[in-house]
Amino acid sequence: VVHDSIDAGVASSGFDALYNNVSIAGAASFTLLVKKAGSEGVLYTITSISERIVAIAWAVNGAGGIDAYGTNASGTGTTATVPAVTTTQADTLRISIVATDSSNTTTPIGTASGHTEMAELFGTSAGGLSIQYKTLSGAGADASQTASLNASDQWLGVTLAIANVVEVRSTKA
């Protein structure tokens, strides 16, 4: 979820905030909500005090939990960096997320090397969000990557690796 206020909290029933209200270079905020194994609903409600938000819901099947995180990267410009990640297990799914401020239409956001775009969304005066993935067959370090932005803006890059993923699905709103 990208929201237009750096003071806004975002929540959804049954979810935990993996990242909550992380600043996008002081201009907007990013929140990543996680729901662990269990029944999947058809419709979810996101509660925010922000006036505008951009949200993408995605699911992985057969996941063995989060294996590793990268160190967040942020900046301003036409190139965003998704940080390196070091996994401890083989057969993980690297999730690379680029979140942008709402100042300029930053989409389409380029796909990082070796990645597949899962979903991308931009909301006027809300921000941009791109979720990409890459299969990592062995344990170890996977280098940082870059993704081009359609326009110069503030950005945040987040990386995590999920173990034992069988399938990926997404939707945006």
Side-chain angles (χ1 to χ4, degrees):
V1 177
V2 174
H3 36 105
D4 65 347
S5 171
I6 58 173
D7 297 322
V10 176
S12 186
S13 180
F15 286 76
D16 296 320
L18 192 58
Y19 293 92
N20 193 16
N21 205 29
V22 177
S23 174
I24 302 173
S29 292
F30 168 77
T31 298
L32 178 59
L33 301 171
V34 176
K35 182 176 185 179
K36 298 192 178 167
S39 60
E40 299 301 325
V42 176
L43 180 64
Y44 297 107
T45 301
I46 298 171
T47 304
S48 173
I49 61 169
S50 257
E51 183 180 356
R52 296 169 291 273
I53 66 171
V54 173
I56 297 175
W58 49 277
V60 292
N61 183 16
I66 297 174
D67 179 54
Y69 301 92
T71 302
N72 300 349
S74 64
T76 301
T78 57
T79 302
T81 300
V82 287
V85 65
T86 301
T87 62
T88 61
Q89 300 180 44
D91 301 320
T92 59
L93 188 71
R94 174 186 170 140
I95 303 292
S96 298
I97 301 170
V98 175
T100 65
D101 178 28
S102 61
S103 301
N104 296 301
T105 304
T106 51
T107 53
I109 295 172
T111 305
S113 179
H115 286 66
T116 299
E117 184 174 78
M118 184 186 316
E120 177 179 274
L121 188 62
F122 182 83
T124 303
S125 296
L129 189 57
S130 173
I131 302 184
Q132 305 174 17
Y133 66 93
K134 173 183 176 181
T135 301
L136 303 176
S137 58
D142 193 56
S144 63
Q145 303 289 327
T146 59
S148 61
L149 306 179
N150 186 53
S152 181
D153 212 339
Q154 295 86 3
W155 56 265
L156 173 71
V158 174
T159 304
L160 56 116
I162 303 172
N164 305 317
V165 173
V166 175
E167 176 187 26
V168 177
R169 295 174 280 155
S170 69
T171 188
K172 53 191 175 182

